[in-house]
């Protein structure tokens, strides 16, 4: 077989040894046809425009008048709990685990795509124009129209929760294709909201493909394609501006003397890729974005590090894509997102399931937050950067001398996890701690 990756990297990935890979192409020009930042602004405007609609659809959004946003909080206690208290940088945590309605980062991309699709269908049928009052989107005429259309998605769970719940709330026939081993509580939650769940044998890609096929046969079905959707991507990218406002409010400057480091869990790449795209448009070279992937599913790493410009999956290098991080269990990275990340992403680190659980427990004990395993993937980010040979190499090569840095760790899901399920996470994590003696309480 011809060589697909550099041999030492290939060996580390195959041995499932956690590592930090630095992207040698960082800073090269974006590919021709890369989307314009104007599309990010369009997504931001669309999301803001429908806030009153969302507030009337979901009681949990009354308080924020329909705003779907998460807080940016201090993570200094986490820094201390991880034994990195002497790191002079400021640590913050971006709480997408608590995004309302969907309970995960998928609210950002998913709600945007459903709103854009509803707007498009309503306009095409003369129910409203994009300039009309937004409340026409929830008029009786719109609801009647949407009941003759379906919105479908293939998902391991969280994207289904986001798309399914929003589509059903607007009156669409909402269909979620899931792998059979997707979490039962996610399937039940969808069924309770009137979403049709269709189960498939196989992994995430099989569920997506099945959904895509089913939708192709039906002209009244819009398929949300997690592997290549620009509408999802721009919904995620819209997160960047609000983060910049939150950083300012927290007194954190971003600039030449004040670099910003951001760490985000990565599955197919849409969520972390969109956010990176948005942050790069705002902060350019002053922001450094790193993704976190499970050792069993480093699909973006494999794709970006591939020696040839062809699709490369984790299966191709003998990994099995089996991880407790169900939100990140993706074998093949998005071929829409990976070319964009080639010039923008600083690097990717991998994480074992044991570390996910250990970090889940530390997040609980130090910050009092309950996150799902996928959402804990980025917690090791600052440690990789400051404490590893590769991380130090990155700082010396890519970051001009600075006064003070800010680290933002993105926690991406968890608030909807049922308490019994979370108790099982904790129990498992404590079992590991007892065995290895590594987790603190
Ligand atoms: C989906 C998901 C991610 C990653 O998003 P992708 O777009 O798949 O890269 C991260 N964390 C959680 C909890 C998720 O559900």
């Amino acid at each position: 077989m011809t060589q697909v990756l550099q041999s030492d990297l290939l060996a580390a990935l195959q041995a499932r040894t956690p590592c930090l890979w630095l992207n040698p192409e960082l800073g090269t020009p974006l590919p021709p046809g890369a989307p314009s930042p104007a599309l990010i602004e369009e997504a931001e405007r669309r999301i803001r425009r429908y806030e009153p609609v969302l507030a009337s659809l979901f009681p949990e959004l009354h308080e924020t008048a329909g705003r779907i946003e998460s807080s940016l909080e201090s993570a200094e206690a986490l820094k201390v709990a991880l034994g990195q208290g002497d790191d002079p940088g400021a640590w913050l945590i971006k709480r997408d685990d608590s995004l309302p309605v969907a309970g995960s980062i998928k609210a950002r991309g998913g709600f945007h795509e459903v709103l854009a699709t509803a707007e498009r269908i309503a306009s095409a049928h003369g129910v409203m124009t994009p300039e009309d009052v937004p409340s026409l989107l929830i008029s009786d005429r719109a609801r009647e129209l949407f009941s003759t259309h379906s919105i479908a998605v293939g998902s391991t769970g969280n994207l289904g929760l986001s798309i399914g719940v929003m589509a059903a709330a607007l009156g669409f026939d909402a269909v979620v294709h899931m792998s059979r081993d997707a979490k039962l509580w996610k399937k039940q939650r969808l069924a309770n909201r009137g979403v049709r769940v269709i189960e498939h044998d196989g992994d995430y890609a099989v569920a997506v493909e099945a959904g895509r096929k089913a939708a192709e046969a039906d002209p009244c079905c819009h398929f949300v394609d997690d592997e290549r959707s620009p509408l999802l991507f721009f919904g995620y990218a819209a997160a960047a501006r609000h983060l910049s406002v939150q950083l300012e409010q927290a007194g954190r400057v971003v600039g030449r003397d004040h670099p910003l480091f951001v760490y985000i869990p990565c599955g197919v790449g849409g969520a972390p890729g969109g956010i990176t795209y948005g942050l790069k448009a705002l902060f350019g070279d002053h922001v450094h974005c790193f993704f976190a992937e499970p050792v069993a599913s480093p699909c973006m790493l494999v794709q970006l590090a591939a020696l040839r410009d062809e699709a490369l999956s984790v299966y191709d290098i003998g990994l099995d894509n089996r991880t407790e991080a169900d939100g990140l269990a993706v074998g093949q990275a998005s071929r829409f997102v990976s070319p964009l990340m080639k010039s923008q992403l600083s690097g990717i680190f991998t994480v074992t399931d044991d570390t996910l659980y250990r970090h889940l427990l530390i997040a609980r004990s130090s910050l009092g937050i309950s996150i799902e395993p996928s959402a804990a993937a980025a917690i090791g980010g600052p440690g990789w950067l400051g404490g590893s040979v590769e991380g130090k190499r990155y700082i010396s090569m890519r970051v001009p001398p600075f006064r003070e840095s800010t680290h933002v760790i993105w926690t991406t899901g968890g608030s909807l996890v049922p308490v019994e399920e979370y108790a099982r996470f904790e129990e498992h994590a404590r079992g590991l701690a007892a065995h290895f003696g590594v987790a603190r309480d």
Side-chain angles (χ1 to χ4, degrees):
M1 193 171 120
T2 51
Q3 200 181 352
V4 289
L5 290 173
Q6 272 173 3
S7 42
D8 46 349
L9 176 63
L10 180 64
L13 292 175
Q14 287 176 331
R16 297 163 164 254
T17 309
C19 60
L20 167 61
W21 170 80
L22 300 180
N23 177 13
E25 315 262 350
L26 170 66
T28 55
L30 280 165
S36 146
L39 292 166
I40 307 174
E41 285 159 34
E42 193 180 305
E44 282 173 45
R45 274 197 301 277
R46 182 176 287 119
I47 294 166
R48 298 304 307 262
R49 176 172 146 76
Y50 289 107
E51 282 172 1
V53 164
L54 298 182
S56 68
L57 286 176
F58 299 101
E60 57 265 55
L61 294 179
H62 285 170
E63 209 176 302
T64 61
R67 187 107 208 233
I68 307 271
E69 259 308 339
S70 68
S71 55
L72 180 68
E73 298 169 9
S74 167
E76 294 301 311
L78 176 70
K79 171 159 102 177
V80 172
L82 287 168
Q84 293 164 50
D86 53 358
D87 178 345
W91 284 34
L92 296 163
I93 189 156
K94 180 62 175 158
R95 298 282 318 275
D96 276 10
D97 55 286
S98 64
L99 277 177
V101 182
S104 82
I105 194 167
K106 300 293 195 306
R108 299 183 179 280
F111 292 177
H112 176 249
E113 176 140 2
V114 174
L115 289 171
T117 304
E119 191 179 67
R120 175 176 59 74
I121 294 172
S123 309
H125 290 79
V127 169
M128 72 184 298
T129 70
E131 288 74 40
D132 273 331
V133 286
S135 60
L136 285 176
L137 205 69
I138 45 173
S139 61
D140 290 345
R141 269 188 76 201
R143 187 165 283 276
E144 203 176 305
L145 171 67
F146 297 155
S147 72
T148 62
H149 286 73
S150 59
I151 292 187
V153 65
S155 163
T156 52
N158 286 341
L159 186 64
L161 285 181
S162 164
I163 300 282
V165 167
M166 183 59 68
L170 286 171
F172 284 98
D173 169 32
V175 185
V176 177
H177 297 266
M178 284 179 142
S179 45
R180 203 171 301 283
D181 60 0
K183 297 257 190 285
L184 187 62
W185 70 266
K186 293 185 180 178
K187 294 177 194 169
Q188 281 167 346
R189 187 176 172 91
L190 285 170
N192 291 344
R193 300 268 185 142
V195 176
R196 289 197 285 137
V197 175
I198 301 178
E199 295 181 63
H200 300 275
D201 289 314
D203 73 352
Y204 155 89
V206 171
V208 173
E209 189 51 33
R212 195 185 283 137
K213 280 265 154 58
E216 265 166 16
D218 178 357
C220 285
C221 179
H222 174 80
F223 179 65
V224 177
D225 196 332
D226 199 18
E227 290 177 327
R228 56 185 84 152
S229 162
L231 287 173
L232 284 179
F233 186 78
F234 294 119
Y236 292 123
R241 190 173 317 273
H242 188 240
L243 178 69
S244 77
V245 172
Q246 289 178 311
L247 285 166
E248 210 174 299
Q249 285 165 349
R252 303 309 306 174
V253 183
V254 180
R256 167 72 180 71
D257 289 331
H258 301 87
L260 171 65
F261 298 93
V262 182
Y263 311 93
I264 322 173
C266 176
V268 74
I275 290 170
T276 296
Y277 208 68
L279 288 173
K280 280 292 188 184
L282 293 181
F283 297 125
D285 292 344
H286 305 314
V287 64
H288 306 269
C289 299
F290 292 86
F291 291 175
E293 298 192 302
V295 291
S297 314
C299 63
M300 187 63 79
L301 199 172
V302 161
Q303 187 65 60
L304 292 182
L307 296 174
R308 283 174 300 146
D309 192 22
E310 286 164 19
L312 188 63
S313 82
V314 304
Y315 301 112
D316 293 333
I317 63 162
L319 293 174
D320 63 6
N321 192 25
R322 288 193 171 270
T323 166
E324 296 288 319
D326 57 343
L328 313 181
V330 177
Q332 169 72 64
S334 161
R335 297 282 277 157
F336 168 63
V337 176
S338 59
L340 301 174
M341 291 302 101
K342 200 142 192 126
S343 55
Q344 297 201 312
L345 191 63
S346 294
I348 300 177
F349 57 92
T350 57
V351 46
T352 63
D353 281 9
D354 285 359
T355 299
L356 291 179
Y357 278 111
R358 192 159 64 83
H359 286 172
L360 178 148
L361 203 55
I362 294 178
R364 172 79 207 174
S365 57
S366 63
L367 301 174
I369 66 171
S370 306
I371 55 179
E372 58 187 90
S374 298
I379 287 177
W384 273 110
L385 203 66
S388 71
V389 174
E390 289 301 290
K392 288 176 180 155
R393 194 157 74 84
Y394 181 86
I395 301 274
S396 70
M397 270 172 30
R398 296 284 195 173
V399 192
F402 57 87
R403 280 225 293 278
E404 202 185 22
S405 60
T406 301
H407 299 266
V408 172
I409 296 166
W410 221 284
T411 49
T412 48
S415 64
L416 296 187
V417 174
V419 283
E420 319 81 66
E421 179 87 3
Y422 186 78
R424 275 196 291 278
F425 294 160
E426 256 189 339
E427 195 185 329
H428 182 74
R430 283 184 208 287
L432 291 172
H435 192 247
F436 296 112
V438 282
R440 297 161 187 233
D441 211 3

